Amino acid sequence: MGAMIEHGTEVKAICRKCRQSFKVDLNAICKIHGEGYSLIAKHPPCRVFECDGEVIFYYKHGVFRPMTR
């Protein structure tokens, strides 16, 4: 998390079910979980009202790429 913030990496989350995308606030996540936290293979619930899907995180490196192992 700390390195992503330091390099200005853009991260978004896209719901697998409703396909809504969200900009991810890395600073807020870092304050909660710490600099060593990773979004790789994390799939939290979607924030859209009444959507029971979960999101996949994507980072921008030229184009957006999924954060998977």
Side-chain angles (χ1 to χ4, degrees):
M1 189 66 53
M4 291 175 68
I5 292 169
E6 183 178 317
H7 291 104
T9 304
E10 188 177 346
V11 177
K12 69 178 177 178
I14 300 175
C15 178
R16 292 178 173 178
K17 186 172 183 180
C18 73
R19 306 303 298 165
Q20 179 68 42
S21 67
F22 308 92
K23 185 175 180 181
V24 176
D25 184 344
L26 295 178
N27 289 310
I29 293 172
C30 188
K31 285 180 183 178
I32 295 168
H33 296 287
E35 288 185 21
Y37 188 74
S38 174
L39 297 175
I40 296 173
K42 300 283 192 313
H43 306 288
C46 180
R47 298 185 314 193
V48 173
F49 182 69
E50 293 188 357
C51 178
D52 61 356
E54 51 186 35
V55 301
I56 299 174
F57 292 104
Y58 291 81
Y59 69 99
K60 190 170 186 179
H61 185 75
V63 296
F64 279 97
R65 303 170 190 273
M67 297 180 82
T68 59
R69 292 185 188 247

